[in-house]
Amino acid sequence: MMATCAGLPLLLLLLRLLLGQPRAGAGAHREAVVCAGRACYTAHWGKLSAAEAQLHCSRNGGNLATVRSEEEARHTQRALTQLLESEAPLAARMGKFWIGLQREKAKCLDPSLPLKGFSWVGGGEDTLYTNWNKEVRSSCISRRCVSLLLYLFQPSHASHLPKWSEGPCGSPGSPGSNIEGFVCKFSFKGMCQPLALGGPGRVNYTTPFNATSSSLEAVPFGSAATVVCGAGEAGQEDYFMCREKAPDVFDWGSSGPLCVSPQYGCSFNNGGCQQDCFEGGDGSFRCGCRPGFRLLDDLVTCASRDPCSSSPCRGAATCVPAPHGKNYTCRCPQGYQLDSSQRDCVDMDECQDSPCPQACVNAPGGFRCECWVGYEPGGPGEGPCRDVDECVPGRSPCAQECTNTDGSFYCSCEKGYVLAGAEGTECQDVDECADTENGLCDSLCLNTQGSFHCGCLPGWELGLDGVSCTPGPTSLAPLSGPPQGEDAGDREGKLVHSATMSRPTRDPEGTSKEAPTAKGPSIPRNAPITLAAPHMPAPSGPPGVWMEPSTHHPMVTPGRGENTEEDFTAKQSHEGTDGQKLLLFYILGTVVAILLLLALALGLLVYHKRRAKREKEKEKKPQNAADSYSWAPERAESRALENQYSPTPGTDC
């Protein structure tokens, strides 16, 4: 009638010892059990803190319950309903039961997350399902825990799942306001179907987490079952164990219904058969299955001949039955592959095989090719990607010169400029006059955009190399204006510049122009500087023409007339006048600043001396009226008659 294993005596002894021992916490915690899927949920009475409740669950191999989905919420609700129904009618009030959702101390509220910064005790990522009773309190200074809130006097309706209530986690002896118990969760690799009874009898299941029940919809792997046949208390006991028969296949190792009796046949519990029960002529019976189903090895349970009828594949996977309808395989669409469970699909990263000539971007179920920076999709016959010419007019990011390279470019500057800017695309003028130690000019230097000018002090003239200065005789150069219109300091000397050694800069329209920037002349240590104006001869020549000394020596270029020489002389004289003015203003400004500082220092010194003198006089207080007078010494009458202004004493002449 039933199959037993070879080591049944030893197993019976172990089970008797196990069942004979009192369960941990028995009498202290009353409980209800619900098993579904691959997990069991137990609801317990007990006024404990959240930490004490977690310790009770962990001792049996579980954790405080997680409620990650609406399905899990319904399982915990069923367990709590069983717990409430097992008690006498309770007072009409609210009760709270701990679950495994907590927030540690110093971890603040995060309103952007569904769980508001809380996390599950058993681990796992943030879940989308929530059922908060009210807005979560924003607190970071203490640990916070979550409990299920429900009415104790009536079971919760299926459409009204218990709400989440957060609050203090409690402490030993002080669990918190309205805490009545807690809910644990235990996970398993598989479940067995409940044992089928074909006649009167009792089945009692003992789970690995030390819970006992006689009515489980699914029995977790590793559970023990005690079967007593008959209507009375006395009867033969049989023991069974839920084992793993094959990968993902769990059963009790028995065949046929238990406790069958010819007296009842198929009239009692359908003979223990899942679908059809067929009676024989001698009072026996057997189980059968409907069309499209087949009887499993336990001779009680029926399974569809189409193994895909129960939709064993998940997600995007499709179920493909194997030959003879005894097995199946899951297949994934293109771009996906089976995961470790072989029942669901995950995206396949095609970019690992480098299918693109340049960049590859993985996408769900496929991929796409892209071009690197500096390239763009090519046209017909050009390949998938072609180089982008960044130096095309109107697109060039460079201020001056741009050189295109394969996939990139680089900028350069003309002579007299250096690269600048964060990206190295701008050009900055080089100040050639800034290096005073290794100056390019012997005397004066004037920086310009992209170049510089050399000049000389009065009495010197610029050499043919445009850099050196040589002593030159003073010459008179005609001026275009009368002497009355010029300042005397402007005629003290002339600054002679070299020919401009400038490089054109490029404006935004692409045209070339020169923009010299005038800077203070650089004066070397050995350059002679004359502040006093030299002796000027009386003006001569035609009226309205003023002759003044100039450091310029006219140079006649072959093939040119006298007018050319005069124009050149006038131009050089005008440039020298500008340089002399700049130098004179610089020197005079420095002298005036020094004199002002000296005058200020002298004024402060006089002020402090006078103040000290007044304070000293105040300290000297007169002792009597006579102290403020001075007495003149007495003279002899003979001396008083003498004329002290006389050259010879005693005479009036």
Side-chain angles (χ1 to χ4, degrees):
M1 182 178 64
M2 64 186 68
T4 58
C5 59
L8 182 59
L10 180 60
L11 178 61
L12 293 177
L13 178 61
L14 292 175
L15 289 176
R16 290 180 185 276
L17 292 175
L18 176 63
L19 297 175
Q21 297 293 332
R23 290 180 289 106
H29 301 284
R30 291 161 290 175
E31 61 187 15
V33 182
V34 171
C35 293
R38 294 193 177 190
C40 292
Y41 302 85
T42 60
H44 306 260
W45 293 104
K47 294 183 177 296
L48 303 176
S49 66
E52 292 173 323
Q54 168 62 21
L55 180 61
H56 176 85
C57 297
S58 62
R59 283 174 178 171
N60 294 323
N63 289 295
L64 284 173
T66 61
V67 189
R68 293 189 174 94
S69 63
E70 184 175 343
E71 182 182 8
E72 278 197 312
R74 297 194 183 281
H75 296 331
T76 57
Q77 182 189 40
R78 288 173 53 199
L80 289 170
T81 301
Q82 286 185 18
L83 187 67
L84 295 178
E85 290 175 346
S86 64
E87 296 293 324
L90 300 175
R93 62 185 179 87
M94 302 290 289
K96 296 180 181 179
F97 293 81
W98 293 122
I99 59 174
L101 190 60
Q102 301 178 1
R103 190 178 70 197
E104 297 300 325
K105 181 180 179 181
K107 187 175 181 180
C108 300
L109 173 72
D110 191 349
S112 63
L113 299 176
L115 295 184
K116 311 299 183 184
F118 286 79
S119 57
W120 298 108
V121 174
E125 299 178 354
D126 197 9
T127 52
L128 297 178
Y129 175 78
T130 59
N131 195 15
W132 296 104
N133 179 47
K134 59 182 180 179
E135 192 66 26
V136 179
R137 179 182 175 185
S138 178
S139 174
C140 308
I141 60 175
S142 62
R143 188 163 169 256
R144 310 288 288 183
C145 296
V146 177
S147 57
L148 295 179
L149 184 65
L150 70 160
Y151 290 101
L152 299 179
F153 65 93
Q154 62 180 3
S156 299
H157 194 270
S159 61
H160 297 86
L161 298 175
K163 295 287 187 178
W164 296 3
S165 175
E166 66 91 21
C169 299
S171 59
S174 179
S177 176
N178 297 331
I179 296 297
E180 300 294 339
F182 54 95
V183 182
C184 298
K185 178 184 177 181
F186 306 91
S187 300
F188 298 92
K189 62 187 302 185
M191 296 280 186
C192 286
Q193 293 290 333
L195 287 170
L197 296 181
R202 302 184 306 278
V203 180
N204 194 33
Y205 302 102
T206 303
T207 64
F209 47 90
N210 291 333
T212 58
S213 176
S214 58
S215 58
L216 292 178
E217 296 179 2
V219 185
F221 164 68
S223 298
T226 303
V227 180
V228 179
C229 296
E233 294 293 333
Q236 182 181 357
E237 293 184 354
D238 294 306
Y239 300 94
F240 301 91
M241 182 74 70
C242 178
R243 302 175 182 273
E244 185 176 14
K245 181 179 179 181
D248 208 22
V249 177
F250 301 86
D251 67 5
W252 298 98
S254 64
S255 59
L258 302 177
C259 301
V260 294
S261 171
Q263 179 182 356
Y264 296 98
C266 293
S267 62
F268 184 90
N269 194 29
N270 194 35
C273 301
Q274 186 181 30
Q275 289 188 1
D276 296 332
C277 180
F278 301 98
E279 293 184 352
D282 55 353
S284 64
F285 62 90
R286 63 183 179 84
C287 296
C289 297
R290 300 166 189 167
F293 292 85
R294 60 185 178 86
L295 192 65
L296 298 182
D297 294 340
D298 61 0
L299 303 180
V300 173
T301 308
C302 294
S304 173
R305 294 187 178 276
D306 181 7
C308 297
S309 60
S310 60
S311 302
C313 301
R314 300 184 294 269
T318 56
C319 181
V320 179
H324 309 294
K326 292 186 178 181
N327 207 342
Y328 67 92
T329 56
C330 295
R331 290 183 182 178
C332 295
Q334 185 177 2
Y336 293 86
Q337 61 185 1
L338 290 173
D339 62 1
S340 57
S341 68
Q342 300 296 307
R343 292 187 177 185
D344 203 351
C345 297
V346 294
D347 177 57
M348 180 187 303
D349 188 1
E350 296 87 353
C351 293
Q352 293 182 352
D353 299 330
S354 302
C356 301
Q358 290 190 358
C360 177
V361 179
N362 186 54
F367 67 97
R368 67 177 184 273
C369 295
E370 294 183 353
C371 296
W372 296 330
V373 177
Y375 294 87
E376 61 185 1
E382 296 182 350
C385 297
R386 65 182 179 186
D387 174 58
V388 176
D389 188 359
E390 295 85 356
C391 298
V392 171
R395 184 192 293 182
S396 174
C398 302
Q400 291 185 2
E401 301 294 337
C402 177
T403 303
N404 184 57
T405 60
D406 190 15
S408 185
F409 68 97
Y410 65 88
C411 298
S412 57
C413 297
E414 298 173 355
K415 186 177 181 182
Y417 295 88
V418 292
L419 285 174
E423 299 180 357
T425 58
E426 304 295 329
C427 288
Q428 182 179 357
D429 174 59
V430 176
D431 187 359
E432 294 87 355
C433 299
D435 188 4
T436 57
E437 296 295 332
N438 303 309
L440 300 176
C441 300
D442 284 354
S443 183
L444 303 180
C445 182
L446 180 66
N447 184 60
T448 62
Q449 284 291 332
S451 186
F452 65 97
H453 291 299
C454 290
C456 298
L457 292 174
W460 297 75
E461 66 178 4
L462 196 64
L464 296 177
D465 57 0
V467 173
S468 61
C469 293
T470 59
T474 304
S475 61
L476 297 178
L479 295 179
S480 59
Q484 290 81 359
E486 297 184 7
D487 184 69
D490 295 338
R491 301 193 300 271
E492 292 180 1
K494 298 296 179 182
L495 175 66
V496 181
H497 298 281
S498 69
T500 302
M501 294 178 288
S502 62
R503 303 244 177 213
T505 58
R506 191 176 304 167
D507 61 6
E509 289 76 19
T511 60
S512 298
K513 64 179 182 178
E514 180 180 351
T517 301
K519 295 187 177 181
S522 175
I523 305 176
R525 292 188 297 269
N526 57 355
I529 301 177
T530 304
L531 297 179
H535 175 70
M536 303 299 294
S540 61
V545 179
W546 176 264
M547 304 297 292
E548 65 174 84
S550 173
T551 59
H552 170 69
H553 283 254
M555 299 176 62
V556 180
T557 304
R560 295 191 179 183
E562 184 178 355
N563 293 335
T564 304
E565 179 181 354
E566 291 178 356
D567 295 340
F568 182 76
T569 302
K571 181 179 179 181
Q572 291 289 73
S573 177
H574 180 67
E575 293 179 354
T577 302
D578 293 340
Q580 181 182 359
K581 287 181 180 180
L582 182 62
L583 177 61
L584 183 59
F585 290 158
Y586 175 78
I587 295 174
L588 289 178
T590 304
V591 172
V592 171
I594 294 174
L595 291 177
L596 289 176
L597 291 175
L598 291 176
L600 179 61
L602 183 59
L604 291 175
L605 180 62
V606 173
Y607 170 75
H608 285 296
K609 284 187 176 182
R610 289 183 178 181
R611 184 176 179 181
K613 184 177 180 180
R614 286 196 300 268
E615 292 178 355
K616 187 175 182 181
E617 290 177 355
K618 290 180 181 180
E619 293 176 356
K620 294 181 180 181
K621 298 181 180 180
Q623 301 296 328
N624 51 54
D627 290 341
S628 61
Y629 296 90
S630 60
W631 302 92
E634 297 182 354
R635 292 185 180 180
E637 295 181 359
S638 59
R639 296 288 298 273
L641 298 176
E642 294 179 356
N643 186 0
Q644 58 179 341
Y645 298 102
S646 174
T648 304
T651 63
D652 296 332
C653 300

